[in-house]
Amino acid sequence: MEMAMTVMNVATLQPKPLRPKSPYLLPNPRRVFNLKASSLHNPQVSSFGAPTLVGQFDPTIPIERAVTPPSSWYTDPSFYSLELDTLFYRGWQAAGYTEQIKNPGEFFTCSRLGNAEFVVCRDGDGKLQAFHNVCRHHASLLAYGSGRKSCFVCPYHGWTYGLDGSLLKATRITGIQNFNEHEFGLISVKVATWGPFVLLNMEQDVDSDTDIVEKEWLGSSSEQLSNNGVDSSLSFVCRRDYMIECNWKVFCDNYLDGGYHVPYAHKGLASGLNLDHYSTTIYEKVSIQKCEGGSTERTNDYDRLGSKALYAFVYPNFMINRYGPWMDTNLVLPLGPRKCQVIFDYFIEPSLMDNKDFIERSLKDSERVQVEDVMLCEGVQRGLESPAYDIGRYAPTVENAMHHFHCLLHKSLKK
């Protein structure tokens, strides 16, 4: 079941002061400061274990009275390790797009996810395959980048694998004993597609049937996304990477604040949006924010945002943005407690692929927004590491999606 919530104009948001019933809701600031100050020799390391830190957020408290997760969720190395094990090494993860592997022999490698590396390909029979990108001989990475191959040849010692993962040749192993070549194929990974996206799952006991994957990954939001132009008809334009000095959740939180920061941090973007008509809809593992464009009529030939924009967050780390003729996706990959990589892929309606001026201008405008967000996120990370900060509060009418994200995190981490 979904629940729609229309958000008020963020510029007029005036939350009423609350009088919490429990001291847990608003801890004594002096006690919080003293607690964190005691770890100033290493402010990233908490004196609590990761399971204890998970319990410091209570998802049962309504957003009007709830506090945010503690800053240790964003700084503690043991908490980061728990996230890798419970979030990223389980469940379906966005890895790429179908246009990268349209034809037999085409492949692409994925950016590192924790300690895992992957390669996705379409074998000679056209079947989609995915493997850990590690040679079984001495652990060298097997493939780099993207392209087209008839087989994978390890750059280290020449061991060769078919596109189905089987070991075809092991070089210079004369005299080896107790070796079964059928046991040394590449380690497979479950792979599936939905719309234009390629998804991976490291769990071996999951079903990769499209309908089952759709239900698990998107739940009841899939129809909403399909009906709003998230499909395979768009053409890929380019990819841009951002290395950001912040915890991966900081970037997600920034995305999920219901447009709260837009009029303050993105004045150029705000001028093209009607923030009085901003809504958030919560699904099982997805939240969708919608906003009307600043004008439904084009005043000139340049209209990047169109008459409405849709911003979908797919738990735990994937964003789909559909606006005007554009779609861009943001994949947030954790690189440690205080660093992440964000991969932007840009797609456009095919009729505009030859309009180089429009594409260049649109990408320039998008880049300006991303630079502004990088500055915000890195500033938040530094603040989270300060002994003066431990927990915050939610703006109930705009930060519903953020609260939903934190509740999903708590549920996953408690498993």
Side-chain angles (χ1 to χ4, degrees):
M1 178 179 293
E2 64 183 64
M3 174 177 62
M5 296 161 285
T6 303
V7 178
M8 68 168 63
N9 184 350
V10 296
T12 61
L13 180 67
Q14 295 182 342
K16 297 180 180 180
L18 298 173
R19 187 171 299 173
K21 298 179 180 180
S22 168
Y24 168 79
L25 294 178
L26 282 179
N28 185 308
R30 185 185 299 274
R31 181 183 66 80
V32 171
F33 182 87
N34 289 340
L35 175 64
K36 295 193 71 176
S38 65
S39 299
L40 282 179
H41 62 285
N42 191 348
Q44 282 75 48
V45 178
S46 169
S47 58
F48 303 110
T52 302
L53 297 178
V54 174
Q56 291 184 356
F57 174 76
D58 188 347
T60 66
I61 298 176
I63 188 173
E64 293 82 3
R65 293 191 287 114
V67 296
T68 63
S71 58
S72 52
W73 278 33
Y74 301 79
T75 60
D76 189 272
S78 67
F79 196 87
Y80 169 71
S81 297
L82 179 64
E83 289 177 329
L84 291 181
D85 291 338
T86 57
L87 296 179
F88 295 103
Y89 295 162
R90 303 180 187 180
W92 291 100
Q93 303 285 333
Y97 50 95
T98 54
E99 194 173 334
Q100 293 175 286
I101 33 83
K102 289 190 299 184
N103 304 305
E106 291 183 333
F107 78 96
F108 68 87
T109 57
C110 308
S111 295
R112 188 179 181 90
L113 179 61
N115 294 323
E117 311 259 1
F118 308 104
V119 58
V120 180
C121 66
R122 199 170 288 279
D123 66 20
D125 296 326
K127 182 180 179 181
L128 192 60
Q129 304 272 8
F131 309 97
H132 285 273
N133 186 19
V134 181
C135 178
R136 296 296 304 282
H137 178 218
H138 284 324
S140 170
L141 291 186
L142 190 63
Y144 295 85
S146 61
R148 193 167 190 171
K149 292 179 179 289
S150 60
C151 60
F152 294 114
V153 180
C154 179
Y156 198 8
H157 297 111
W159 282 38
T160 304
Y161 302 85
L163 299 183
D164 62 354
S166 61
L167 178 62
L168 300 180
K169 182 172 68 174
T171 60
R172 303 181 69 173
I173 59 171
T174 301
I176 194 171
Q177 298 179 8
N178 302 321
F179 176 74
N180 185 342
E181 63 184 28
H182 299 295
E183 297 175 353
F184 274 79
L186 298 178
I187 304 300
S188 64
V189 178
K190 292 289 187 177
V191 60
T193 62
W194 184 87
F197 308 122
V198 177
L199 312 173
L200 301 181
N201 192 324
M202 280 192 275
E203 298 174 283
Q204 291 300 310
D205 58 345
V206 296
D207 197 323
S208 55
D209 176 79
T210 300
D211 291 339
I212 295 175
V213 172
E214 176 183 80
K215 182 177 181 181
E216 182 179 341
W217 194 50
L218 299 174
S220 57
S221 73
S222 59
E223 183 177 358
Q224 180 73 236
L225 294 175
S226 297
N227 291 341
N228 281 274
V230 180
D231 54 44
S232 302
S233 67
L234 303 176
S235 298
F236 176 73
V237 176
C238 68
R239 167 172 290 188
R240 293 187 174 174
D241 287 351
Y242 298 87
M243 295 292 183
I244 309 178
E245 295 294 329
C246 73
N247 184 275
W248 69 277
K249 296 186 295 299
V250 171
F251 189 90
C252 295
D253 287 349
N254 179 70
Y255 183 90
L256 293 169
D257 76 354
Y260 199 165
H261 72 284
V262 171
Y264 309 103
H266 304 309
K267 290 182 169 54
L269 176 62
S271 65
L273 295 173
N274 186 348
L275 293 173
D276 290 325
H277 294 82
Y278 204 108
S279 66
T280 299
T281 306
I282 302 297
Y283 298 86
E284 297 89 347
K285 293 184 179 179
V286 175
S287 60
I288 295 179
Q289 302 171 76
K290 288 184 178 181
C291 185
E292 293 183 4
S295 173
T296 58
E297 298 181 1
R298 296 188 181 191
T299 57
N300 52 48
D301 292 335
Y302 179 69
D303 184 13
R304 180 174 77 97
L305 298 177
S307 61
K308 62 180 180 179
L310 174 147
Y311 307 105
F313 177 81
V314 183
Y315 179 78
N317 64 329
F318 190 57
M319 296 90 162
I320 307 168
N321 310 303
R322 189 68 167 93
Y323 48 94
W326 285 97
M327 178 177 77
D328 70 69
T329 61
N330 320 143
L331 178 62
V332 188
L333 299 174
L335 298 178
R338 68 175 326 274
K339 188 174 183 179
C340 67
Q341 177 186 13
V342 184
I343 301 173
F344 278 69
D345 284 328
Y346 289 88
F347 305 81
I348 199 169
E349 293 175 1
S351 62
L352 290 170
M353 273 298 288
D354 294 330
N355 192 336
K356 304 303 181 184
D357 290 340
F358 176 77
I359 290 175
E360 182 178 348
R361 185 173 175 183
S362 296
L363 293 175
K364 184 177 179 179
D365 285 349
S366 178
E367 172 73 10
R368 184 181 302 111
V369 175
Q370 310 325 319
V371 170
E372 292 166 348
D373 275 332
V374 168
M375 183 181 70
L376 291 174
C377 291
E378 292 186 341
V380 168
Q381 183 66 36
R382 292 171 65 180
L384 287 164
E385 294 168 357
S386 166
Y389 184 90
D390 185 42
I391 57 170
R393 298 297 302 272
Y394 298 99
T397 58
V398 289
E399 294 183 313
N400 313 83
M402 185 191 300
H403 182 252
H404 179 241
F405 171 51
H406 295 159
C407 291
L408 290 174
L409 281 170
H410 182 274
K411 181 178 180 180
S412 297
L413 295 169
K414 290 288 283 186
K415 288 182 179 179

